[in-house]
Amino acid sequence: MLTRTTLCALLASLAVSVHANETVTVTGSTSASHIVEVLAETYSSENKDTHIEVQGIGSSAGITAVKKNVADLGMSSRYLKAEEINPDIITVTIAHDGIALVVHKDNPVANLTKEQVEKIYHGDITNWKEVGGPDLKIAVVSRENASGSRFSFEDFMGLTQQIKGQTVSDINPQVLVVNTNGTVKSLVSRNKHALGYVSLGSVDDSIKALDFEGVSPTLENLESGKYQISRPFLMLYKEKKIKDSAKAFVDYVTSTSGQGLIEQRGYVSVLK
């Protein structure tokens, strides 16, 4: 005999399957996934025959998923590397985002320079007192190798080196590496020693965002170009493989309505 709870669950599942005739899979950047999830929810509420399934697993994985026909759409929070560029794959810039350096809310340090950040991530500066803070060892946090945020951050900060023609990370091997923006925020919010970096659009009251080179990480400063640590959010698909429902979602994301939602959530519209 079915319980009331089980019956409700079955009815809800049936309702979804009746209304959503198409499922569009979107996978890739964890940074981009936050705004794409909002866009997907809004789009699906207005287009009940399409369900948008968003999964944040990293930019590199999203690019690979599209190449291997595992996902309809990919997300990347960095430009594609030379070896990833494929004439069959279309890339669409859907937004621009900043990368914010973040610390615990009680950390008195308010600003870091590019030189200081480079030395911290190389392991040459190890204590907050060396940059005007308290006598505490710096707990340096970074993202995993497949992260678009890490690629963009290291490329901008000069934290890479060339080995046999390949660009590879050159940060201190003792840096703590984590998988998502959310994990960085969680660690930094609970550790007065910590320094990390996250998508500007995901900064909230649980952490403190630092000025960089004397410029605050605000949407206004990002739009004007004063705040320099920026990167694109890209959506990717195979031009000859994309189905109509997936292309319709891409068109919505780049439309006035979609871009308006992107701006509301603290990112820079591509229509600017």
Side-chain angles (χ1 to χ4, degrees):
M1 183 176 176
L2 292 175
T3 65
R4 183 183 181 87
T5 302
T6 304
L7 182 58
C8 288
L10 287 171
L11 289 173
S13 176
L14 180 61
V16 171
S17 64
V18 168
H19 289 293
N21 299 323
E22 287 270 5
T23 296
V24 175
T25 55
V26 191
T27 188
S29 166
T30 61
S31 297
S33 69
H34 293 292
I35 184 58
V36 174
E37 284 171 355
V38 175
L39 291 160
E41 184 177 347
T42 304
Y43 182 81
S44 294
S45 69
E46 298 170 357
N47 299 269
K48 299 190 182 299
D49 58 336
T50 304
H51 172 63
I52 311 294
E53 188 176 286
V54 183
Q55 185 180 23
I57 57 173
S59 296
S60 296
I63 295 167
T64 299
V66 171
K67 282 188 173 183
K68 295 186 175 181
N69 302 314
V70 176
D72 296 309
L73 301 170
M75 300 174 289
S76 176
S77 55
R78 62 169 173 80
Y79 290 111
L80 272 63
K81 302 174 186 177
E83 62 268 22
E84 294 172 328
I85 296 173
N86 187 313
D88 295 336
I89 294 179
I90 300 296
T91 61
V92 179
T93 303
I94 64 169
H96 294 281
D97 182 34
I99 297 176
L101 292 156
V102 293
V103 296
H104 189 274
K105 292 196 319 183
D106 293 339
N107 191 324
V109 173
N111 176 77
L112 288 175
T113 66
K114 186 173 182 178
E115 182 181 5
Q116 288 171 332
V117 174
E118 183 181 348
K119 287 184 176 180
I120 290 171
Y121 275 85
H122 274 145
D124 299 324
I125 291 178
T126 60
N127 194 296
W128 280 110
K129 68 181 180 181
E130 298 176 73
V131 291
D135 186 8
L136 292 173
K137 184 178 180 180
I138 304 175
V140 189
V141 183
S142 188
R143 292 288 306 280
E144 79 286 1
N145 277 321
S147 163
S149 297
R150 175 168 172 171
F151 179 88
S152 297
F153 178 78
E154 292 185 350
D155 184 59
F156 178 84
M157 293 293 177
L159 295 167
T160 61
Q161 60 178 318
Q162 293 290 320
I163 296 180
K164 296 182 179 179
Q166 295 291 319
T167 302
V168 298
S169 176
D170 189 35
I171 63 173
N172 184 351
Q174 294 184 357
V175 167
L176 178 62
V177 174
V178 299
N179 290 332
T180 66
N181 265 299
T183 307
V184 176
K185 286 169 61 177
S186 178
L187 282 170
V188 170
S189 68
R190 293 183 285 110
N191 188 340
K192 292 183 179 181
H193 297 246
L195 169 70
Y197 55 88
V198 299
S199 164
L200 180 57
S202 65
V203 172
D204 57 29
D205 292 339
S206 69
I207 51 179
K208 173 183 170 181
L210 299 180
D211 291 357
F212 177 72
E213 295 284 355
V215 180
S216 299
T218 64
L219 186 60
E220 181 181 5
N221 287 336
L222 185 63
E223 287 179 338
S224 69
K226 291 180 181 178
Y227 187 78
Q228 297 177 5
I229 320 175
S230 64
R231 40 73 180 279
F233 281 171
L234 307 177
M235 201 164 270
L236 309 92
Y237 60 88
K238 278 190 175 178
E239 187 173 23
K240 295 179 180 178
K241 293 277 188 179
I242 191 169
K243 54 193 182 187
D244 291 344
S245 54
K247 184 60 168 61
F249 179 59
V250 175
D251 291 342
Y252 164 74
V253 171
T254 56
S255 71
T256 303
S257 296
Q259 290 296 302
L261 193 52
I262 282 169
E263 280 200 304
Q264 289 173 24
R265 294 293 172 138
Y267 303 93
V268 178
S269 165
V270 296
L271 300 181
K272 287 287 185 181

